[in-house]
Structure formats: structure tokens, C-alpha cells
Amino acid sequence: MKIDIQNHNLVPKHEVISESEKELLQKNSDFDINNLPKIKINDPVVKELKNDHVISAGDVLKITRDSKTAGEFISYRIVIEG
């Protein structure tokens, strides 16, 4: 039995952002994209995303979480080897 990790209620929504979205994020931020929190390429969610996308080190994931106080909280992680 295979569990679809993307549909589990404890796993927030993960999306791969495009190069243009990545450039816009860098332009509108006061930090370097390479200093984002990291997520390994062999993380179970990244492996699941690889079924539908080509993902490599340096790609950025947008993670959307439901929040009781903010409604929605968005964070980003950069994919690394490992």
C-alpha cells in the first residue's frame, strides 16, 4: 500500500517555483536565495514532486501552510543534494 504523502493532512502544500518566480523572489527580498532553509533532494516530499516535475539542486520550493492566526503562511526552501 502506497501512501500519497502530498495528500496527508500533516504535510503542507509544496510547489516548485519557476525560474521567473525565483528571480522575482530574489529581487523583492533582502536576502540571498542561497541562504534559504534547505530541503534535501531525497526528502520524501521532493521525491514525490519529482514524479511530476524535474527537480534538481538549486530549485526553490514554495511551502504553503494553513495558519490559525495568519490564515495562510508561505515559506520557501532551496533544494540541495544529499
Side-chain angles (χ1 to χ4, degrees):
M1 181 170 121
K2 183 175 179 191
I3 297 172
D4 185 359
I5 195 166
Q6 288 283 73
N7 289 327
H8 194 282
N9 64 341
L10 296 177
V11 178
K13 181 178 178 184
H14 288 64
E15 303 170 85
V16 181
I17 65 171
S18 68
E19 283 300 315
S20 60
E21 290 173 308
K22 187 175 167 182
E23 289 172 13
L24 189 61
L25 177 64
Q26 178 69 50
K27 181 180 176 184
N28 294 330
S29 303
D30 59 350
F31 58 84
D32 183 10
I33 287 226
N34 294 317
N35 292 332
L36 286 172
K38 316 283 189 265
I39 188 167
K40 291 185 177 183
I41 201 159
N42 59 3
D43 182 276
V45 174
V46 177
K47 284 182 179 180
E48 189 71 30
L49 286 172
K50 286 174 84 172
N51 292 334
D52 299 325
H53 300 59
V54 176
I55 300 176
S56 58
D59 286 342
V60 175
L61 300 183
K62 176 181 176 182
I63 302 169
T64 307
R65 292 178 172 85
D66 292 329
S67 168
K68 291 181 181 178
T69 56
E72 184 177 84
F73 177 75
I74 297 174
S75 61
Y76 298 89
R77 291 190 179 230
I78 189 165
V79 178
I80 62 168
E81 291 293 330

